Amino acid sequence: MGNICTLFKHKPPPPTTTKKRSSGNRSSSRKEKKLDDAAIREQAIAAAILFKQHQAQFDRSSSLRYANGHSKKNALPRSSSSRARSLTDPLLQPHQLLNQGVKVDELETNHFVLVHGGGFGAWCWYKTIALLEESGYKVAAIDLTGSGVHSFDTNNITSLSQYVKPLTDFLEKLPEGDKVILVGHDFGGACISYAMELFPLKISKAVFIAAAMLTSGHSTLDIISQQAGSNDLMQQAQIFLYANGNDRPPTSIDLDKSLLRDLLFNLCPTKDVALASVSMRPTPFAPVLEKLSLSDLKYGSVRRFYIETLEDNAIPISLQENMINASPPEKVFRLKGADHSPFFSKPQALHKLLVEISKIR
């Protein structure tokens, strides 16, 4: 979602400019660049290794990332949602976790289903998965069609139902009587809304994290067009792809990798930005245009919660509040010091809120 503010506005990428350097500085600049590149490569490799180690627990035969949480008397590390997270914070370790007193077996459900945003994939939840499992929860993180490791060409996705099929397939296969807590980030908010209309009896709660929370009859594009022209960084970052020819509507939207940090990860650790830069894929365009049909009887029967990200450069807090005012959820939480990707920038505080929501009766 964080890449869809302008309709059919195709702009070629800006020309590359080269700044002249004096011969005396050229050698030292090359050395500095090599050091920077080497550091980023090391961080990306470390993050990728950690994610792959965790991924080994999942079912590789499908587009789902799924793991059964094991009950442990460990919970989250100390974190204040009002304190900006250091960009150099180390990855979370189990021994850092504090007991949060969660009795997951006594909850209505201890099963979280995490749904990524546009361009992201199941990989973006690796910290959240680890924290929830350490607290005894069951977690499934899903690659939507053409996302993450799901082997489908994004440009061939023509509907929202096609895009969210891995999620709806997962919910359809849930045993009768089982319920989950759906969590949607970014464009994933529209995706979980679609699923809520189809499977209201299988969803205990829905959590929207800096996400598209639409009203019936509206599309994601309708909502974010409210901010059209006010987010220059977003417009600069958008790259429309035209797989069917330049005389046809866009088929997907990509992002300029050089602007990813400023747009989506302005408060995230460098290693996570590096992981994202090699993992993100284009967002299919057709689902963004599709208007949702949401009923009070089905969608409206699911308890909704919203988590605002206050330092968000992609979905500004003003737009988040517009969506909240148009369709008020049961409760709104605020994550201070969080950018558009709180699973990277504020993983401990985000985890604490997810646990808190799971305990609400």
Side-chain angles (χ1 to χ4, degrees):
M1 171 180 169
N3 46 10
I4 41 186
C5 288
T6 305
L7 176 60
F8 305 153
K9 188 172 182 181
H10 177 57
K11 293 183 179 181
T16 301
T17 58
T18 304
K19 294 182 179 180
K20 294 184 179 179
R21 301 177 182 271
S22 65
S23 58
N25 294 333
R26 195 171 299 152
S27 177
S28 61
S29 297
R30 280 198 295 266
K31 290 179 181 178
E32 291 173 3
K33 186 176 187 306
K34 287 181 179 178
L35 290 174
D36 290 343
D37 289 347
I40 290 174
R41 280 198 298 272
E42 288 178 5
Q43 291 164 341
I45 290 170
I49 289 173
L50 178 66
F51 178 66
K52 287 180 179 178
Q53 286 174 343
H54 190 79
Q55 185 179 12
Q57 303 174 36
F58 300 156
D59 180 6
R60 294 175 180 272
S61 64
S62 72
S63 61
L64 301 182
R65 295 286 173 272
Y66 185 84
N68 290 323
H70 301 288
S71 295
K72 297 183 181 179
K73 293 184 178 180
N74 296 324
L76 73 165
R78 289 191 184 276
S79 175
S80 168
S81 62
S82 62
R83 176 180 61 84
R85 179 175 169 82
S86 168
L87 297 184
T88 58
D89 277 359
L91 293 175
L92 304 171
Q93 301 297 328
H95 69 268
Q96 294 175 292
L97 305 177
L98 299 175
N99 195 320
Q100 207 172 330
V102 182
K103 297 180 179 179
V104 295
D105 293 336
E106 297 178 5
L107 301 173
E108 180 184 13
T109 179
N110 61 8
H111 192 172
F112 278 94
V113 177
L114 310 177
V115 181
H116 62 81
F120 292 85
W123 53 267
C124 73
W125 298 107
Y126 79 97
K127 292 181 181 180
T128 300
I129 293 169
L131 286 168
L132 286 171
E133 287 179 349
E134 286 294 334
S135 296
Y137 290 88
K138 183 186 297 185
V139 189
I142 296 177
D143 278 323
L144 300 177
T145 305
S147 304
V149 299
H150 190 282
S151 56
F152 193 87
D153 185 352
T154 307
N155 293 297
N156 292 333
I157 297 172
T158 58
S159 68
L160 186 59
S161 63
Q162 182 184 12
Y163 182 55
V164 302
K165 192 173 187 301
L167 173 60
T168 53
D169 284 351
F170 177 85
L171 293 173
E172 189 171 23
K173 293 173 184 176
L174 277 178
E176 186 175 353
D178 282 12
K179 289 190 173 187
V180 300
I181 298 174
L182 272 189
V183 179
H185 169 248
D186 186 81
F187 185 40
C191 299
I192 67 171
S193 297
Y194 181 91
M196 290 158 66
E197 181 68 21
L198 291 180
F199 302 101
L201 299 180
K202 293 188 175 184
I203 303 166
S204 168
K205 300 180 177 95
V207 184
F208 294 75
I209 304 174
M213 189 170 65
L214 311 181
T215 54
S216 186
H218 289 88
S219 69
T220 302
L221 185 65
D222 291 334
I223 297 298
I224 60 172
S225 62
Q226 299 171 20
Q227 294 284 329
S230 63
N231 193 337
D232 292 338
L233 181 60
M234 177 70 71
Q235 294 188 31
Q236 292 173 31
Q238 294 174 140
I239 302 172
F240 286 89
L241 305 180
Y242 296 80
N244 297 329
N246 290 337
D247 58 335
R248 303 291 300 279
T251 49
S252 62
I253 313 163
D254 207 352
L255 290 174
D256 184 338
K257 295 296 188 290
S258 69
L259 297 176
L260 282 182
R261 176 184 284 281
D262 290 340
L263 182 65
L264 304 177
F265 311 111
N266 45 298
L267 296 175
C268 294
T270 300
K271 54 183 167 289
D272 292 322
V273 182
L275 174 63
S277 69
V278 297
S279 303
M280 293 192 74
R281 295 175 63 179
T283 302
F285 192 63
V288 173
L289 296 176
E290 192 167 325
K291 297 182 184 297
L292 289 184
S293 178
L294 304 173
S295 66
D296 290 337
L297 181 64
K298 295 181 179 179
Y299 169 85
S301 69
V302 180
R303 302 173 72 182
R304 288 179 292 121
F305 301 84
Y306 201 99
I307 298 178
E308 296 179 337
T309 47
L310 303 188
E311 310 298 329
D312 197 322
N313 288 341
I315 310 299
I317 187 62
S318 59
L319 179 53
Q320 295 179 46
E321 291 181 344
N322 285 347
M323 292 185 286
I324 290 167
N325 293 333
S327 181
E330 182 173 326
K331 191 170 183 179
V332 174
F333 299 86
R334 312 193 91 190
L335 265 182
K336 295 180 181 179
D339 56 18
H340 189 61
S341 305
F343 36 75
F344 290 155
S345 60
K346 296 290 290 186
Q348 300 158 320
L350 174 61
H351 169 71
K352 185 175 181 179
L353 290 183
L354 292 177
V355 170
E356 183 178 340
I357 291 170
S358 76
K359 294 164 66 177
I360 295 175
R361 296 186 181 276

